[in-house]
Amino acid sequence: YTWSIVLVQSIGNASTAAVALMMTGKRNFTGDVPARDWIIAGAAFMGAANFGLVSLHYIIYPMQVLVKSCKAIPVMFGEVIFERHVKLTVAKIISVILLCAGVVIFTMGKKGSKEETLEFDHKLMIGLMFVTLALFCDGIYGPYQNRIKTKAFERGAPITAYDNMFNMNFWQGVMALFVCLVTGELPEVAAFVSTHPSIVKIVAEYAAAMAFGQVFIFQLQASFGALLVTKTTTV
């Protein structure tokens, strides 16, 4: 139920951001940013989350971590594409390469409690396709947030971390809800919850932890941009 998981975390994150905005006296939750910009960033945000979750149906978690550890590369190029004033520097390229190489070496060097073998079959290919799509979305939503922030600053109406957090999760939630309704996933989730009511407490704890963590991530994004967020969360 990957779409429902994305929907739940979106509701928790958006609600937390909305409370924070109201506590600061804001009533305009869009940040005076056109809905089109939030929809583009929110769609990529949703894609990165959902494609990553779907990939786990086909590949083992360490393999997904291995591939996703390289997400600083698409984010670095995404910043150049979406923000014309951002330039690639030798220092930036080297730091990203060293980061990705270090995480790959560390991940491959760990020995698990049991031997896990990889079979290069169609399941592995499908899983790698989904995790690659997640990387592609990573390269869009982070840099596009930078673009939204820059354009808002140039208009003289800078947005806050909570504006960003609310709108990214709001539009992600809207799109996830639409998919859940189209695919008929919600009735299945409701049936599962009725059969396993103890899952409600676990999901609530997950949503709370996710919202708490995102407060700091979006504060980091607002202050330092997408690439530093990616480097920090990758490590």
Side-chain angles (χ1 to χ4, degrees):
Y1 305 123
T2 54
W3 289 107
S4 296
I5 292 174
V6 172
L7 175 59
V8 168
Q9 69 185 40
S10 299
I11 293 172
N13 297 340
S15 299
T16 301
V19 170
L21 287 170
M22 288 188 289
M23 289 176 65
T24 59
K26 292 198 72 171
R27 293 296 180 266
N28 179 9
F29 288 2
T30 66
D32 293 321
V33 175
R36 173 181 173 275
D37 285 339
W38 287 128
I39 291 171
I40 291 172
F45 191 44
M46 180 187 70
N50 194 69
F51 287 136
L53 289 171
V54 172
S55 69
L56 292 174
H57 291 293
Y58 302 96
I59 57 177
I60 58 176
Y61 182 68
M63 171 62 74
Q64 194 231 39
V65 171
L66 187 67
V67 180
K68 285 282 284 181
S69 66
C70 299
K71 71 177 182 178
I73 295 174
V75 171
M76 178 176 64
F77 286 107
E79 285 191 333
V80 176
I81 294 171
F82 292 114
E83 289 202 282
R84 301 295 183 181
H85 67 275
V86 175
K87 304 297 181 184
L88 283 179
T89 64
V90 174
K92 183 183 291 186
I93 294 172
I94 291 175
S95 69
V96 167
I97 292 174
L98 290 177
L99 170 67
C100 296
V103 174
V104 168
I105 293 171
F106 176 78
T107 304
M108 294 184 67
K110 287 195 301 183
K111 293 184 178 180
S113 57
K114 61 180 182 179
E115 292 295 325
E116 291 178 313
T117 59
L118 289 177
E119 294 184 5
F120 288 88
D121 54 11
H122 71 284
K123 285 189 65 177
L124 178 63
M125 294 299 104
I126 294 172
L128 290 176
M129 178 191 71
F130 279 120
V131 79
T132 300
L133 287 172
L135 284 177
F136 177 75
C137 292
D138 284 324
I140 296 175
Y141 84 81
Y144 206 88
Q145 288 178 80
N146 288 358
R147 174 174 173 162
I148 291 173
K149 180 178 66 176
T150 301
K151 289 167 65 176
F153 182 80
E154 291 172 350
R155 290 196 307 269
I159 61 172
T160 67
Y162 293 115
D163 288 316
N164 198 1
M165 180 176 172
F166 173 79
N167 285 280
M168 292 290 289
N169 284 284
F170 174 79
W171 287 107
Q172 176 182 244
V174 168
M175 287 178 271
L177 176 60
F178 174 77
V179 175
C180 286
L181 293 173
V182 170
T183 60
E185 186 173 300
L186 287 181
E188 295 180 17
V189 171
F192 180 85
V193 171
S194 64
T195 307
H196 306 86
S198 60
I199 197 69
V200 174
K201 180 175 180 292
I202 297 172
V203 172
E205 291 172 344
Y206 164 77
M210 173 69 75
F212 184 72
Q214 281 218 346
V215 168
F216 296 99
I217 289 175
F218 278 97
Q219 291 289 350
L220 193 64
Q221 161 74 28
S223 300
F224 300 102
L227 185 58
L228 186 62
V229 172
T230 302
K231 289 179 179 179
T232 304
T233 53
T234 298
V235 174

